[in-house]
Amino acid sequence: MSYPIGTPGTAWGETEKQQWLTAQQIKRSYQQEVVSELQSMLAHFEVIQYGALPYDAARYPLFILKSHPWHAELPTVLVTGGVHGYETSGVHGALAFARLAAGEYLSHFNLLVAPCLSPWGYETINRWNPMAVDPNRSFYPNSPAPEAALLMNTVQALGVSIYAHFDLHETTDTDNSEFRPALAARDGTVHDNWNIPDGFYVVDDSVNPQPAFQAAVIQAVEKVTHIAPADENGEIIGSPLEQKGVINYAKARLGLCGGFSQANYVTTTEVYPDSASATPQNCIDAQVAAIRGGLDYLLNL
């Protein structure tokens, strides 16, 4: 698909990136819709500001919820949302889990919840940050994305091993209508449309697959919403289906958020909010069910 910025076949320079940035608009409020919710978490969490995005530090402070009391002998679970700011249920699913379900697990796990890593992306409904960098391809040393670098530094500074990591995402129709065309234009390449799966799926780590853990997540979510089938090639978004609702990526090699934590149990959730049978609340419920399903599995090991 053509894109209105740049020359096909030629990667963007700073001029094109600035044109793209100028075209972005604020469409919703991070402060009103996310930050304002954090005070309701104080029964079970300490709210810690771990930095701010340099684009506007006052507007985009970053927060992580740390469960209290903290028990050094318990395994630590990390929940991340809003790595891609436009993926709404990832943000609000993380908040809903912290508010409604986390208390049930605090005698078994320490919990860290970073509900919105990319607040500029949340406000502008964007996959990238203002530098046209994808935070979810930037989780590696000397990261070009402050969204990734600040969280990695924070988790490292805590000095804890992450036992399980739930990274909450969505796959949307705009992946084909906006974000993949923009990516092709930025990189001077071609990205064909792919089939947007109708339903929920998860991404396991191909380097350390945990199929039983992923199956437990799928089984829990299936009680809330439908699971995405494979396409005619037996794939979901271009990757072979490993089991019902599960594909694998090499997360660390790709610089994905799910790869930096080095957790033994990692899942990247993918909700489909554009389904005819989905509602915003249903998508949030699916994210919460995914976390609960994974934690319940770990409790029964």
Side-chain angles (χ1 to χ4, degrees):
M1 295 177 64
S2 61
Y3 197 74
I5 296 172
T7 302
T10 301
W12 286 0
E14 290 306 314
T15 297
E16 289 81 11
K17 291 178 182 179
Q18 187 59 45
Q19 289 175 350
W20 174 83
L21 179 57
T22 301
Q24 308 312 308
Q25 298 178 346
I26 299 296
K27 299 173 181 175
R28 55 187 177 181
S29 172
Y30 168 67
Q31 292 283 343
Q32 293 178 9
E33 298 180 17
V34 180
V35 176
S36 67
E37 294 292 313
L38 299 179
Q39 293 305 306
S40 67
M41 314 298 176
L42 294 177
H44 297 304
F45 290 96
E46 180 184 1
V47 179
I48 301 170
Q49 182 177 344
Y50 65 91
L53 294 184
Y55 328 125
D56 188 333
R59 186 172 187 136
Y60 300 127
L62 298 168
F63 296 96
I64 192 166
L65 307 175
K66 182 182 179 184
S67 59
H68 69 77
W70 187 269
H71 301 284
E73 71 278 9
L74 293 180
T76 298
V77 174
L78 174 64
V79 177
T80 47
V83 179
H84 289 143
Y86 75 104
E87 297 172 2
T88 305
S89 72
V91 175
H92 292 283
L95 291 171
F97 169 76
R99 185 174 60 253
L100 301 174
E104 300 174 32
Y105 296 96
L106 293 182
S107 62
H108 305 284
F109 303 103
N110 294 318
L111 297 176
L112 296 169
V113 182
C116 188
L117 275 64
S118 298
W120 182 87
Y122 182 86
E123 290 202 329
T124 61
I125 310 184
N126 251 299
R127 184 178 182 89
W128 294 342
N129 69 18
M131 300 175 290
V133 170
D134 187 338
N136 203 37
R137 297 297 185 274
S138 304
F139 282 84
Y140 52 78
N142 301 313
S143 173
E147 296 85 353
L150 288 165
L151 181 71
M152 288 190 292
N153 292 342
T154 298
V155 173
Q156 182 179 27
L158 288 171
V160 297
S161 296
I162 304 300
Y163 177 57
H165 182 182
F166 298 84
D167 190 30
L168 311 183
H169 285 258
E170 294 182 344
T171 300
T172 71
D173 288 346
T174 52
D175 290 355
N176 270 342
S177 63
E178 170 60 26
F179 298 117
R180 286 176 64 80
L183 178 62
R186 186 197 68 181
D187 295 346
T189 58
V190 175
H191 288 269
D192 295 330
N193 276 11
W194 54 13
N195 292 330
I196 300 296
D198 186 349
F200 179 94
Y201 65 99
V202 296
V203 184
D204 197 359
D205 189 349
S206 60
V207 176
N208 178 35
Q210 297 288 350
F213 173 68
Q214 308 299 335
V217 172
I218 292 295
Q219 289 165 12
V221 174
E222 196 167 19
K223 299 173 183 177
V224 174
T225 192
H226 60 292
I227 305 304
D231 63 19
E232 64 274 11
N233 298 315
E235 298 176 337
I236 289 179
I237 61 168
S239 294
L241 193 70
E242 301 294 332
Q243 60 171 307
K244 183 177 181 179
V246 181
I247 60 173
N248 288 0
Y249 274 14
K251 296 190 177 186
R253 179 175 62 80
L254 293 170
L256 304 181
C257 182
F260 93 90
S261 61
Q262 300 182 340
N264 196 40
Y265 297 95
V266 179
T267 194
T268 301
T269 67
E270 294 287 353
V271 169
Y272 179 50
D274 298 312
S275 172
S277 59
T279 65
Q281 187 60 52
N282 175 248
C283 293
I284 292 169
D285 293 345
Q287 302 282 19
V288 175
I291 302 169
R292 293 180 67 113
L295 293 180
D296 291 344
Y297 169 84
L298 296 176
L299 287 176
N300 288 294
L301 288 179

